[in-house]
Amino acid sequence: MNSSTTSAGMGFLADEGPRRGLMAWLTSTDHKRIGILYLWSMLAFFMVGVGVGVLMRLVQLDTFHHLVTARTYNALFTVHGVIMIFLFVVPGLPAVFGNFFLPILIGAKDVAFPRLNLASWYFYIAGAILALLSLFTGGGAPDTGWTFYAPFSLQTGTNVTLAVFAAFVLGFSSMLTGINFITTIHRLRAPGMSWFRMPLFCWSLYSTSWIQILATPVLAITLILVMLERLFGIGIFDPTKGGDPLLYQHLFWIYSHPAVYIMILPAMGAISEIMPTFSRKPIFGYTAIAFSSMSIAGVGSLVWAHHMFTSGMSEFANMVFSLLTMIVAIPSAIKVFNWVSTLYKGSIDVQPPLFYALTFIFLFCIGGLTGVMQGALSINVHVHDTYFIVGHFHYVMFGGTGFAFFAALLYWFPKMFGRMYSKKLIIAAWFPLFVGFNMLYFGMLVLGMQGMPRRYYEHLPMFHAGHQVVTVGSWLLALGLVIYLVALIWAARKGPRAEGNPWGGVTLEWTLPSPPITENFEEIPVIDHGPYEFRKGGQHG
Amino acid sequence: MDTSHPSTEHGHPGYGTFIAVWICLVVFTLVLVGLSHLGQGAAVWGLLTLTPLKAALVFYFFMHLRYEGPLLKGVVFVALGTLLIFFALMFSDVAFR
Ligand SMILES: [Cu+2]
């Protein structure tokens, strides 16, 4: 408690090698430091994305409508999408918490390829810089939307070429992380850590890594084709040269639908860690959750064309993909059922991480169920390209992955930084977050049902009131985010020292001091029981 | 690295095998060029059947897949299987459009 200003007991956070300060961080191959590098860079990009989002909402109010031109508005929604998808939610939980906790949870000293791990972070930063450059060079910021649909992306004068190259580089970061995690799980588990003794977060990272390896190359090749087409006019997607623009949509979504599982699976994994800890009881249906992660990864790779029901794809394909989409809802529902059942008859302790995890379940259910609605062909045709889609997507990606990220950060923060945050401030941040979130995105669901198309600069007078509610929601949401982040940033620097096991968790990370030492374990543990056995495992320590 | 790994140390092929595989690849290429003169149908079917075969030979011998352990082979087959499923599902669009 007395060492809050010295480096004594600060574990891996204290510089050990010949380098000090920033250089020690930028050259570190310690998985924990790389995780934290990702955390800060990602949060910075996230706040930029939030800023762009708030600005877009502002433009829908009469008073501020002429703040930007229609063309800039197109650039804004593209940039918002690219930043949030490729710089925040795709790397999201794996890059931060996967890096930090995967080796610890399976009893290893680091990931299998520590240098490759650092290289992934540099790929990530390089991609981010390229994306930033694309805004100010060539013809200016891309105006295609984050999906870069052909043939428009082939014709627009804006700097699509550099932007897709940025996404290409970011894809490499993602693939290398996937390879690293799969190898780590196969080769570096501690003695006795059998597959079914791994914490569920590891299972979710394992299935995510497979999607990263199998689907990301498809995106990489597709984006290269877009670049070649723009530079040399080879005519793969351009219909005037005999190409097929629908082929672009197929290839794009072959990656980008599984990518939403890259985004949500680790989030589900983190929730599966939080639920048992705060219910003081083993997770309900361990095997079902582990296998549902794998089957989401498998079936989730076969449903991509549900984004194309109105594109002119064949009727037969519409039916095939609609059916497959319905099937993928089953494993997600299994998980929700198991989380809720874990609470049943548990000794529930509502701490901030659980509070945010429960919020995740609520918001994810709305997101998931609106997703099943769109899987039905008859509804999809009507809500396609409306605010309904935008609302649904944000319920899943922000209400789902975003809130799980917040919950995971609250859960593991004391372990990562060795300090505790103000629980009161975090709960205070929840109210504007939750109210603002639902005003913003439920409002969008309603607007979409009424027929408001997405990505439009103007709107009809009938949508005025709706847009006002939605925009006010965005202010509340942003306020909540600021409180949340300020509370954590302050705690990381000045918060009171945290104990080794503040939540009474029983997985391996809680057997270590907070923060852990550089090598994680003085001695590699020998595992003789499952991950959530609260009677056998350690109590408060 | 892990020195106890059983499958990488023995059974490397001689130059003979490599040259034989190379000759096979050249022959297949010549066949493909010949087929392309017989019209589009023959060319497409030739490409669809012979090109994967050529790729398989390259994987198997030149890229040493043959001498790898079951895990690595499994990884390659998972990837190829996934690719095949992607193709099949995409044809549910293209073939019925
Ligand atoms: Cu999808």
PDB file of all heavy atoms in Angstrom, chain A residues 376-398:
ATOM      1  N   ALA A 376     -34.160 -13.736 -41.722  1.00  0.00           N
ATOM      2  CA  ALA A 376     -35.362 -14.125 -42.466  1.00  0.00           C
ATOM      3  C   ALA A 376     -35.456 -13.269 -43.720  1.00  0.00           C
ATOM      4  O   ALA A 376     -35.454 -12.046 -43.648  1.00  0.00           O
ATOM      5  CB  ALA A 376     -36.589 -13.928 -41.592  1.00  0.00           C
ATOM      6  N   LEU A 377     -35.548 -13.941 -44.872  1.00  0.00           N
ATOM      7  CA  LEU A 377     -35.541 -13.233 -46.152  1.00  0.00           C
ATOM      8  C   LEU A 377     -36.608 -12.154 -46.245  1.00  0.00           C
ATOM      9  O   LEU A 377     -36.358 -11.048 -46.697  1.00  0.00           O
ATOM     10  CB  LEU A 377     -35.778 -14.236 -47.282  1.00  0.00           C
ATOM     11  CG  LEU A 377     -34.573 -15.051 -47.717  1.00  0.00           C
ATOM     12  CD1 LEU A 377     -35.013 -16.136 -48.667  1.00  0.00           C
ATOM     13  CD2 LEU A 377     -33.568 -14.144 -48.378  1.00  0.00           C
ATOM     14  N   SER A 378     -37.825 -12.488 -45.780  1.00  0.00           N
ATOM     15  CA  SER A 378     -38.947 -11.568 -45.980  1.00  0.00           C
ATOM     16  C   SER A 378     -38.722 -10.245 -45.262  1.00  0.00           C
ATOM     17  O   SER A 378     -39.079  -9.187 -45.767  1.00  0.00           O
ATOM     18  CB  SER A 378     -40.232 -12.222 -45.487  1.00  0.00           C
ATOM     19  OG  SER A 378     -40.024 -12.694 -44.176  1.00  0.00           O
ATOM     20  N   ILE A 379     -38.117 -10.309 -44.058  1.00  0.00           N
ATOM     21  CA  ILE A 379     -37.877  -9.066 -43.316  1.00  0.00           C
ATOM     22  C   ILE A 379     -36.671  -8.341 -43.894  1.00  0.00           C
ATOM     23  O   ILE A 379     -36.655  -7.120 -44.049  1.00  0.00           O
ATOM     24  CB  ILE A 379     -37.662  -9.362 -41.825  1.00  0.00           C
ATOM     25  CG1 ILE A 379     -38.921  -9.980 -41.242  1.00  0.00           C
ATOM     26  CG2 ILE A 379     -37.287  -8.098 -41.065  1.00  0.00           C
ATOM     27  CD1 ILE A 379     -38.815 -10.342 -39.797  1.00  0.00           C
ATOM     28  N   ASN A 380     -35.667  -9.132 -44.254  1.00  0.00           N
ATOM     29  CA  ASN A 380     -34.413  -8.546 -44.711  1.00  0.00           C
ATOM     30  C   ASN A 380     -34.611  -7.598 -45.884  1.00  0.00           C
ATOM     31  O   ASN A 380     -34.028  -6.519 -45.939  1.00  0.00           O
ATOM     32  CB  ASN A 380     -33.454  -9.668 -45.096  1.00  0.00           C
ATOM     33  CG  ASN A 380     -32.078  -9.144 -45.442  1.00  0.00           C
ATOM     34  OD1 ASN A 380     -31.912  -8.556 -46.505  1.00  0.00           O
ATOM     35  ND2 ASN A 380     -31.128  -9.325 -44.567  1.00  0.00           N
ATOM     36  N   VAL A 381     -35.472  -8.012 -46.818  1.00  0.00           N
ATOM     37  CA  VAL A 381     -35.679  -7.204 -48.011  1.00  0.00           C
ATOM     38  C   VAL A 381     -36.150  -5.800 -47.631  1.00  0.00           C
ATOM     39  O   VAL A 381     -35.786  -4.816 -48.263  1.00  0.00           O
ATOM     40  CB  VAL A 381     -36.704  -7.895 -48.936  1.00  0.00           C
ATOM     41  CG1 VAL A 381     -37.093  -7.005 -50.083  1.00  0.00           C
ATOM     42  CG2 VAL A 381     -36.131  -9.199 -49.439  1.00  0.00           C
ATOM     43  N   HIS A 382     -36.935  -5.701 -46.538  1.00  0.00           N
ATOM     44  CA  HIS A 382     -37.481  -4.406 -46.160  1.00  0.00           C
ATOM     45  C   HIS A 382     -36.515  -3.557 -45.352  1.00  0.00           C
ATOM     46  O   HIS A 382     -36.492  -2.350 -45.487  1.00  0.00           O
ATOM     47  CB  HIS A 382     -38.792  -4.598 -45.387  1.00  0.00           C
ATOM     48  CG  HIS A 382     -39.860  -5.174 -46.239  1.00  0.00           C
ATOM     49  ND1 HIS A 382     -40.530  -4.438 -47.185  1.00  0.00           N
ATOM     50  CD2 HIS A 382     -40.340  -6.435 -46.345  1.00  0.00           C
ATOM     51  CE1 HIS A 382     -41.389  -5.211 -47.816  1.00  0.00           C
ATOM     52  NE2 HIS A 382     -41.293  -6.425 -47.330  1.00  0.00           N
ATOM     53  N   VAL A 383     -35.739  -4.198 -44.489  1.00  0.00           N
ATOM     54  CA  VAL A 383     -34.883  -3.382 -43.622  1.00  0.00           C
ATOM     55  C   VAL A 383     -33.474  -3.234 -44.176  1.00  0.00           C
ATOM     56  O   VAL A 383     -32.642  -2.541 -43.593  1.00  0.00           O
ATOM     57  CB  VAL A 383     -34.813  -3.930 -42.174  1.00  0.00           C
ATOM     58  CG1 VAL A 383     -36.164  -3.903 -41.531  1.00  0.00           C
ATOM     59  CG2 VAL A 383     -34.204  -5.312 -42.145  1.00  0.00           C
ATOM     60  N   HIS A 384     -33.190  -3.863 -45.296  1.00  0.00           N
ATOM     61  CA  HIS A 384     -31.847  -3.794 -45.864  1.00  0.00           C
ATOM     62  C   HIS A 384     -31.413  -2.336 -46.059  1.00  0.00           C
ATOM     63  O   HIS A 384     -32.175  -1.511 -46.546  1.00  0.00           O
ATOM     64  CB  HIS A 384     -31.821  -4.520 -47.208  1.00  0.00           C
ATOM     65  CG  HIS A 384     -30.448  -4.545 -47.828  1.00  0.00           C
ATOM     66  ND1 HIS A 384     -29.534  -5.524 -47.533  1.00  0.00           N
ATOM     67  CD2 HIS A 384     -29.846  -3.712 -48.700  1.00  0.00           C
ATOM     68  CE1 HIS A 384     -28.421  -5.283 -48.199  1.00  0.00           C
ATOM     69  NE2 HIS A 384     -28.574  -4.192 -48.912  1.00  0.00           N
ATOM     70  N   ASP A 385     -30.154  -2.044 -45.654  1.00  0.00           N
ATOM     71  CA  ASP A 385     -29.595  -0.705 -45.831  1.00  0.00           C
ATOM     72  C   ASP A 385     -30.396   0.403 -45.147  1.00  0.00           C
ATOM     73  O   ASP A 385     -30.408   1.540 -45.604  1.00  0.00           O
ATOM     74  CB  ASP A 385     -29.442  -0.372 -47.324  1.00  0.00           C
ATOM     75  CG  ASP A 385     -27.985  -0.555 -47.769  1.00  0.00           C
ATOM     76  OD1 ASP A 385     -27.136  -0.778 -46.890  1.00  0.00           O
ATOM     77  OD2 ASP A 385     -27.706  -0.461 -48.975  1.00  0.00           O
ATOM     78  N   THR A 386     -31.077   0.063 -44.041  1.00  0.00           N
ATOM     79  CA  THR A 386     -31.732   1.109 -43.253  1.00  0.00           C
ATOM     80  C   THR A 386     -30.996   1.259 -41.925  1.00  0.00           C
ATOM     81  O   THR A 386     -30.065   0.509 -41.626  1.00  0.00           O
ATOM     82  CB  THR A 386     -33.191   0.755 -42.927  1.00  0.00           C
ATOM     83  OG1 THR A 386     -33.190  -0.377 -42.061  1.00  0.00           O
ATOM     84  CG2 THR A 386     -33.982   0.437 -44.174  1.00  0.00           C
ATOM     85  N   TYR A 387     -31.452   2.200 -41.107  1.00  0.00           N
ATOM     86  CA  TYR A 387     -30.889   2.383 -39.772  1.00  0.00           C
ATOM     87  C   TYR A 387     -31.087   1.144 -38.907  1.00  0.00           C
ATOM     88  O   TYR A 387     -30.407   0.978 -37.903  1.00  0.00           O
ATOM     89  CB  TYR A 387     -31.549   3.597 -39.079  1.00  0.00           C
ATOM     90  CG  TYR A 387     -30.799   4.882 -39.298  1.00  0.00           C
ATOM     91  CD1 TYR A 387     -30.205   5.157 -40.518  1.00  0.00           C
ATOM     92  CD2 TYR A 387     -30.697   5.841 -38.289  1.00  0.00           C
ATOM     93  CE1 TYR A 387     -29.531   6.350 -40.725  1.00  0.00           C
ATOM     94  CE2 TYR A 387     -30.019   7.023 -38.484  1.00  0.00           C
ATOM     95  CZ  TYR A 387     -29.432   7.271 -39.711  1.00  0.00           C
ATOM     96  OH  TYR A 387     -28.758   8.445 -39.916  1.00  0.00           O
ATOM     97  N   PHE A 388     -32.034   0.280 -39.288  1.00  0.00           N
ATOM     98  CA  PHE A 388     -32.238  -0.947 -38.518  1.00  0.00           C
ATOM     99  C   PHE A 388     -30.947  -1.765 -38.492  1.00  0.00           C
ATOM    100  O   PHE A 388     -30.549  -2.307 -37.457  1.00  0.00           O
ATOM    101  CB  PHE A 388     -33.373  -1.770 -39.134  1.00  0.00           C
ATOM    102  CG  PHE A 388     -33.824  -2.919 -38.262  1.00  0.00           C
ATOM    103  CD1 PHE A 388     -34.732  -2.714 -37.237  1.00  0.00           C
ATOM    104  CD2 PHE A 388     -33.326  -4.193 -38.473  1.00  0.00           C
ATOM    105  CE1 PHE A 388     -35.135  -3.769 -36.431  1.00  0.00           C
ATOM    106  CE2 PHE A 388     -33.732  -5.249 -37.663  1.00  0.00           C
ATOM    107  CZ  PHE A 388     -34.639  -5.034 -36.649  1.00  0.00           C
ATOM    108  N   ILE A 389     -30.296  -1.830 -39.642  1.00  0.00           N
ATOM    109  CA  ILE A 389     -29.040  -2.578 -39.743  1.00  0.00           C
ATOM    110  C   ILE A 389     -27.980  -1.915 -38.865  1.00  0.00           C
ATOM    111  O   ILE A 389     -27.242  -2.583 -38.132  1.00  0.00           O
ATOM    112  CB  ILE A 389     -28.553  -2.608 -41.208  1.00  0.00           C
ATOM    113  CG1 ILE A 389     -29.645  -3.156 -42.120  1.00  0.00           C
ATOM    114  CG2 ILE A 389     -27.265  -3.401 -41.332  1.00  0.00           C
ATOM    115  CD1 ILE A 389     -30.013  -4.575 -41.861  1.00  0.00           C
ATOM    116  N   VAL A 390     -27.921  -0.591 -38.939  1.00  0.00           N
ATOM    117  CA  VAL A 390     -26.926   0.133 -38.155  1.00  0.00           C
ATOM    118  C   VAL A 390     -27.172  -0.091 -36.666  1.00  0.00           C
ATOM    119  O   VAL A 390     -26.251  -0.347 -35.884  1.00  0.00           O
ATOM    120  CB  VAL A 390     -26.959   1.642 -38.495  1.00  0.00           C
ATOM    121  CG1 VAL A 390     -25.862   2.373 -37.760  1.00  0.00           C
ATOM    122  CG2 VAL A 390     -26.828   1.853 -39.986  1.00  0.00           C
ATOM    123  N   GLY A 391     -28.459  -0.010 -36.266  1.00  0.00           N
ATOM    124  CA  GLY A 391     -28.800  -0.239 -34.861  1.00  0.00           C
ATOM    125  C   GLY A 391     -28.427  -1.645 -34.426  1.00  0.00           C
ATOM    126  O   GLY A 391     -27.763  -1.845 -33.406  1.00  0.00           O
ATOM    127  N   HIS A 392     -28.811  -2.642 -35.231  1.00  0.00           N
ATOM    128  CA  HIS A 392     -28.492  -4.040 -34.918  1.00  0.00           C
ATOM    129  C   HIS A 392     -26.988  -4.224 -34.760  1.00  0.00           C
ATOM    130  O   HIS A 392     -26.508  -4.808 -33.793  1.00  0.00           O
ATOM    131  CB  HIS A 392     -29.015  -4.949 -36.023  1.00  0.00           C
ATOM    132  CG  HIS A 392     -28.228  -6.220 -36.185  1.00  0.00           C
ATOM    133  ND1 HIS A 392     -28.339  -7.280 -35.312  1.00  0.00           N
ATOM    134  CD2 HIS A 392     -27.292  -6.591 -37.098  1.00  0.00           C
ATOM    135  CE1 HIS A 392     -27.510  -8.248 -35.686  1.00  0.00           C
ATOM    136  NE2 HIS A 392     -26.857  -7.851 -36.760  1.00  0.00           N
ATOM    137  N   PHE A 393     -26.242  -3.714 -35.732  1.00  0.00           N
ATOM    138  CA  PHE A 393     -24.794  -3.927 -35.731  1.00  0.00           C
ATOM    139  C   PHE A 393     -24.149  -3.311 -34.482  1.00  0.00           C
ATOM    140  O   PHE A 393     -23.278  -3.904 -33.862  1.00  0.00           O
ATOM    141  CB  PHE A 393     -24.193  -3.318 -36.996  1.00  0.00           C
ATOM    142  CG  PHE A 393     -22.759  -3.690 -37.187  1.00  0.00           C
ATOM    143  CD1 PHE A 393     -22.412  -5.011 -37.417  1.00  0.00           C
ATOM    144  CD2 PHE A 393     -21.759  -2.740 -37.140  1.00  0.00           C
ATOM    145  CE1 PHE A 393     -21.094  -5.375 -37.593  1.00  0.00           C
ATOM    146  CE2 PHE A 393     -20.430  -3.102 -37.315  1.00  0.00           C
ATOM    147  CZ  PHE A 393     -20.102  -4.412 -37.537  1.00  0.00           C
ATOM    148  N   HIS A 394     -24.637  -2.122 -34.088  1.00  0.00           N
ATOM    149  CA  HIS A 394     -24.053  -1.501 -32.903  1.00  0.00           C
ATOM    150  C   HIS A 394     -24.472  -2.206 -31.617  1.00  0.00           C
ATOM    151  O   HIS A 394     -23.712  -2.227 -30.654  1.00  0.00           O
ATOM    152  CB  HIS A 394     -24.384  -0.006 -32.861  1.00  0.00           C
ATOM    153  CG  HIS A 394     -23.561   0.798 -33.828  1.00  0.00           C
ATOM    154  ND1 HIS A 394     -23.872   0.907 -35.153  1.00  0.00           N
ATOM    155  CD2 HIS A 394     -22.405   1.487 -33.668  1.00  0.00           C
ATOM    156  CE1 HIS A 394     -22.961   1.654 -35.767  1.00  0.00           C
ATOM    157  NE2 HIS A 394     -22.058   2.020 -34.889  1.00  0.00           N
ATOM    158  N   TYR A 395     -25.684  -2.775 -31.598  1.00  0.00           N
ATOM    159  CA  TYR A 395     -26.045  -3.579 -30.429  1.00  0.00           C
ATOM    160  C   TYR A 395     -25.096  -4.762 -30.276  1.00  0.00           C
ATOM    161  O   TYR A 395     -24.673  -5.110 -29.169  1.00  0.00           O
ATOM    162  CB  TYR A 395     -27.494  -4.078 -30.530  1.00  0.00           C
ATOM    163  CG  TYR A 395     -28.470  -3.190 -29.777  1.00  0.00           C
ATOM    164  CD1 TYR A 395     -29.256  -2.259 -30.444  1.00  0.00           C
ATOM    165  CD2 TYR A 395     -28.593  -3.286 -28.397  1.00  0.00           C
ATOM    166  CE1 TYR A 395     -30.131  -1.431 -29.763  1.00  0.00           C
ATOM    167  CE2 TYR A 395     -29.473  -2.472 -27.701  1.00  0.00           C
ATOM    168  CZ  TYR A 395     -30.236  -1.544 -28.391  1.00  0.00           C
ATOM    169  OH  TYR A 395     -31.095  -0.734 -27.694  1.00  0.00           O
ATOM    170  N   VAL A 396     -24.746  -5.414 -31.396  1.00  0.00           N
ATOM    171  CA  VAL A 396     -23.865  -6.573 -31.286  1.00  0.00           C
ATOM    172  C   VAL A 396     -22.426  -6.143 -31.028  1.00  0.00           C
ATOM    173  O   VAL A 396     -21.755  -6.667 -30.146  1.00  0.00           O
ATOM    174  CB  VAL A 396     -23.934  -7.436 -32.565  1.00  0.00           C
ATOM    175  CG1 VAL A 396     -23.087  -8.679 -32.388  1.00  0.00           C
ATOM    176  CG2 VAL A 396     -25.350  -7.811 -32.873  1.00  0.00           C
ATOM    177  N   MET A 397     -21.954  -5.179 -31.814  1.00  0.00           N
ATOM    178  CA  MET A 397     -20.532  -4.863 -31.767  1.00  0.00           C
ATOM    179  C   MET A 397     -20.155  -3.920 -30.628  1.00  0.00           C
ATOM    180  O   MET A 397     -19.097  -4.029 -30.049  1.00  0.00           O
ATOM    181  CB  MET A 397     -20.086  -4.247 -33.108  1.00  0.00           C
ATOM    182  CG  MET A 397     -20.076  -5.239 -34.242  1.00  0.00           C
ATOM    183  SD  MET A 397     -18.825  -6.502 -34.009  1.00  0.00           S
ATOM    184  CE  MET A 397     -19.724  -7.895 -33.429  1.00  0.00           C
ATOM    185  N   PHE A 398     -21.027  -2.998 -30.306  1.00  0.00           N
ATOM    186  CA  PHE A 398     -20.735  -2.063 -29.225  1.00  0.00           C
ATOM    187  C   PHE A 398     -21.363  -2.577 -27.925  1.00  0.00           C
ATOM    188  O   PHE A 398     -20.664  -2.761 -26.916  1.00  0.00           O
ATOM    189  CB  PHE A 398     -21.245  -0.672 -29.600  1.00  0.00           C
ATOM    190  CG  PHE A 398     -20.777   0.438 -28.701  1.00  0.00           C
ATOM    191  CD1 PHE A 398     -21.079   1.764 -28.992  1.00  0.00           C
ATOM    192  CD2 PHE A 398     -20.030   0.173 -27.562  1.00  0.00           C
ATOM    193  CE1 PHE A 398     -20.646   2.786 -28.172  1.00  0.00           C
ATOM    194  CE2 PHE A 398     -19.604   1.201 -26.736  1.00  0.00           C
ATOM    195  CZ  PHE A 398     -19.925   2.506 -27.044  1.00  0.00           C
TER     196      PHE A 398
END
